[in-house]
Amino acid sequence: MVGCVEGIMGMRPDFGGLRIAPSIPSDWKGFSIEKTFRGKKLKITVENPNGKESGFSEFYVNGEKFADNYIPESKLTAVTEVKLIM
């Protein structure tokens, strides 16, 4: 089950943090998930207003806009709010 969730979410951890790159059917308008990563709670919301299957147009961590869909470990808080707009 973990593999399925992480595969759909495109969760790719590495030494420095976590990349989130979902791959979903185009008819999914979005979804939310909560996940624990390195002892921190992630609340991830994905919005898909244009029916994309992958990629992102906007990415936010705790309200801060990022140019990349990568969360450096230093940006993780006890509860980290993540929003990805495809």
Side-chain angles (χ1 to χ4, degrees):
M1 183 67 160
V2 171
C4 292
V5 170
E6 290 179 357
I8 291 169
M9 285 296 303
M11 299 177 92
R12 306 286 184 263
D14 64 20
F15 183 77
L18 178 68
R19 180 165 309 280
I20 300 178
S23 180
I24 61 174
S26 61
D27 60 340
W28 285 21
K29 294 301 174 197
F31 60 93
S32 297
I33 188 170
E34 292 186 6
K35 173 89 173 141
T36 301
F37 177 70
R38 298 185 183 163
K40 311 291 185 180
K41 185 176 190 174
L42 301 179
K43 291 185 173 186
I44 304 167
T45 301
V46 175
E47 297 177 5
N48 189 18
N50 298 314
K52 294 182 178 180
E53 293 182 348
S54 62
F56 78 99
S57 60
E58 295 180 47
F59 189 73
Y60 300 88
V61 178
N62 293 326
E64 180 183 349
K65 189 172 185 176
F66 282 56
D68 194 13
N69 58 335
Y70 184 80
I71 308 168
E73 188 169 10
S74 63
K75 293 292 185 175
L76 296 174
T77 57
V79 178
T80 303
E81 300 277 344
V82 179
K83 180 178 177 181
L84 184 144
I85 301 173
M86 297 181 76

